[in-house]
Amino acid sequence: MFLKALRRRKPIVDLLRETQGQKGGLSRSLGVMDIILYGVGSSVGAGIYSLIGVGAKEAGPAISLSFLFCGLACIFTSLSYSEFAARVPVAGSAYTFVYASFGEFAAWLVGWNLTLGYGVSAAVIARSWAEYLSNFISDSGQEVPSYFTKLDIEGVECNPLSVVIIMACTLVLCLGVKESTKFNAAMTVLNLLVLTYVLFAGSPEVNEESLEPFAPKGVKGVAKGAGLVFFAYLGFDMVACLSEEVKDPQKNMPVGIIGSLLVSMSIYVSLSVVIVGMAPMELLGGLTP
C-alpha cells in the first residue's frame, strides 16, 4: 500500500474538475502583459543588482556569456513549462505537473526542491536589498543602527532588516492577486526605467581596458559564473504558478513564460557588459555590486 501510494497520480481531468468546481477559488484576471511583467519582476532584480558582481569574480567580463548560456538553457526548459502550463492550467507549477505525470513521491521531492531553491534565492536577494537600503540611508546623512544590519546569533551573522523586507513583501502578497499584480507591475516598470537609464547613460562610459582579458579563467570560469547566476532566471518557472489565475491559459501562458524569459535574458546580457565595463573588477563581488 505504501509503495502504491508513492506512485499515486492525479489525472489531469481530475485536477481541472477540482478547479472548475471550487467555490471561492482563484479568479482568472491576468493577461499576457501581467504574466510577462510578473516574470521579469521576479528575476531581473536578482540578476542585475545582486549577481553580476558575484559572477564576474569567477567569469570576469565574460559574465555576459554566463548569462547568455543560462538563458539559452532556460529557453528549452521554458518550452516544457509552457506545454505543461497550457495543458494543466492550475496552481502548483512543477509540483502539479510532476504529480500528474510521475506520482506523489516524485512531486513531493520536486516540491521540496522548489522550496529550497526559492528560499535560498529569497535570502540572498533580501540581504542584498537590506544592504542597498542601509547604504542609501547612510548616504542620505542618517545613521543606521548596527543591530538592524548585523546581528550575531550563536556565531552566525544575521541581517534583521532583510527579515523586515521579506515580511513587507509577504504582506503585499496577502492583499490579493489583483493588488499584488498592480504593485509588481509598478515596481517592474520602475525597475526597467532605472536599468534603461543605466544602459544608455553607462554605455559611453564603458572602458575597453576593463573588458580585457575577457575570460581570464577560460571556459571553466564562464561555466562557474553560469552556476552562480543561474537562479536569476527562476522567475520564468514561477510564472507557471499563475496558470489558475490567467485568462485563456492555453494561449497566454506559453507567450508569457517565453516572453518574460527573453526580456530578462536581453537585460542581463546587455547590462552585464555595461556594468563590468564601467566598474573596475576589484569593486565588484559584494552584496551591492
Side-chain angles (χ1 to χ4, degrees), residues 1-257:
M1 290 294 293
F2 176 71
L3 294 177
K4 185 177 180 181
L6 293 180
R7 299 192 301 269
R8 182 171 51 203
R9 295 187 297 170
K10 179 169 288 190
I12 296 177
V13 176
D14 292 345
L15 289 170
L16 296 176
R17 187 184 299 115
E18 288 180 2
T19 303
Q20 294 169 355
Q22 187 178 23
K23 293 183 179 180
L26 301 174
S27 60
R28 297 192 180 276
S29 57
L30 305 180
V32 174
M33 189 55 63
D34 294 319
I35 302 172
I36 293 177
L37 289 175
Y38 180 86
V40 173
S42 298
S43 58
V44 167
I48 296 301
Y49 300 120
S50 306
L51 296 177
I52 287 182
V54 175
K57 282 294 185 181
E58 296 295 336
I63 186 63
S64 56
L65 293 182
S66 299
F67 276 113
L68 178 62
F69 293 149
C70 284
L72 293 176
C74 287
I75 284 178
F76 292 104
T77 307
S78 71
L79 296 176
S80 300
Y81 269 92
S82 300
E83 178 71 16
F84 274 115
R87 287 177 175 267
V88 191
V90 298
S93 186
Y95 172 82
T96 303
F97 305 154
V98 175
Y99 197 173
S101 304
F102 298 101
E104 191 168 335
F105 180 66
W108 182 81
L109 293 176
V110 168
W112 278 110
N113 186 41
L114 288 173
T115 301
L116 176 63
Y118 293 149
V120 170
S121 61
V124 173
I125 304 311
R127 287 206 61 170
S128 181
W129 275 21
E131 288 291 330
Y132 274 114
L133 181 59
S134 176
N135 292 343
F136 176 77
I137 295 175
S138 297
D139 292 341
S140 301
Q142 302 294 325
E143 184 177 352
V144 180
S146 59
Y147 56 81
F148 270 118
T149 56
K150 290 183 180 180
L151 184 64
D152 189 273
I153 300 179
E154 297 185 357
V156 179
E157 184 182 303
C158 303
N159 191 318
L161 189 56
S162 63
V163 178
V164 175
I165 292 174
I166 290 178
M167 293 176 64
C169 293
T170 303
L171 179 62
V172 172
L173 292 174
C174 292
L175 294 177
V177 62
K178 288 185 178 180
E179 290 74 13
S180 59
T181 299
K182 291 178 181 178
F183 178 81
N184 177 74
M187 294 301 296
T188 302
V189 171
L190 177 61
N191 189 25
L192 293 178
L193 289 175
V194 172
L195 296 178
T196 301
Y197 171 77
V198 173
L199 179 62
F200 285 98
S203 295
E205 304 298 326
V206 172
N207 186 354
E208 293 184 3
E209 295 181 358
S210 298
L211 300 176
E212 297 177 358
F214 186 68
K217 297 183 181 180
V219 176
K220 183 178 180 180
V222 174
K224 193 170 182 179
L228 290 172
V229 304
F230 185 81
F231 75 79
Y233 286 98
L234 276 179
F236 86 88
D237 72 302
M238 292 174 67
V239 173
C241 296
L242 300 177
S243 296
E244 199 171 327
E245 303 168 73
V246 175
K247 295 178 289 187
D248 193 5
Q250 284 74 19
K251 175 183 177 182
N252 292 336
M253 285 304 299
V255 175
I257 292 175

